[in-house]
C-alpha cells in the first residue's frame, strides 16, 4: 500500500515538473515578445527623430505629429537646454 502512495506522489511530482517547464517556456516566449516590441518601439522612435530632423513629409497625419513635436521642442528650448534625446537623435 505504501508503494502505491509513493508511485502516486512520484507521478504527481513528474506532472508538476512538466507543467512547470511548460509555464517557463510560455513565460520565456512572452519575455521575448516584450523585448521585440520594445526594440520595434525604439526603432520607431528613432525613425520619428529622422523624419523630424529631415523635415520629410510622411503624409498628413505624420506632418501633424511633426508639427506637434516641433512645437514641444520650441517650448523646451524656451525652458532651457534640451535633455539627451530630446530635440534630436537619441544620444545626440
Amino acid at each position: 500500500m505504501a508503494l502505491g502512495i509513493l508511485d502516486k506522489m512520484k507521478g504527481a511530482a513528474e506532472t508538476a515538473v512538466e507543467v512547470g517547464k511548460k509555464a517557463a517556456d510560455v513565460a520565456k516566449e512572452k519575455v521575448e515578445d516584450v523585448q521585440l516590441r520594445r526594440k520595434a518601439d525604439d526603432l520607431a522612435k528613432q525613425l520619428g527623430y529622422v523624419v523630424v530632423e529631415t523635415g520629410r513629409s510622411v503624409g498628413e497625419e505624420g506632418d501633424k505629429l511633426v508639427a506637434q513635436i516641433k512645437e514641444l521642442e520650441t517650448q523646451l528650448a524656451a525652458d532651457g537646454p534640451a535633455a539627451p534625446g530630446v530635440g534630436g537623435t537619441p544620444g545626440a
Side-chain angles (χ1 to χ4, degrees), residues 12-78:
E14 289 172 353
T15 300
V17 168
E18 287 301 314
V19 168
K21 286 181 182 179
K22 288 179 184 177
D25 289 343
V26 169
K28 181 180 176 183
E29 287 177 22
K30 290 191 183 278
V31 167
E32 290 171 354
D33 287 350
V34 168
Q35 289 173 338
L36 291 174
R37 285 186 204 284
R38 285 184 182 158
K39 185 173 183 174
D41 287 344
D42 288 343
L43 292 171
K45 183 177 178 181
Q46 290 175 21
L47 176 61
Y49 283 120
V50 170
V51 169
V52 170
E53 282 185 12
T54 62
R56 292 187 180 167
S57 178
V58 289
E60 186 177 335
E61 187 175 338
D63 291 345
K64 287 179 185 177
L65 293 172
V66 168
Q68 290 174 0
I69 291 168
K70 288 186 177 187
E71 175 61 31
L72 292 172
E73 288 177 345
T74 300
Q75 291 175 17
L76 287 169

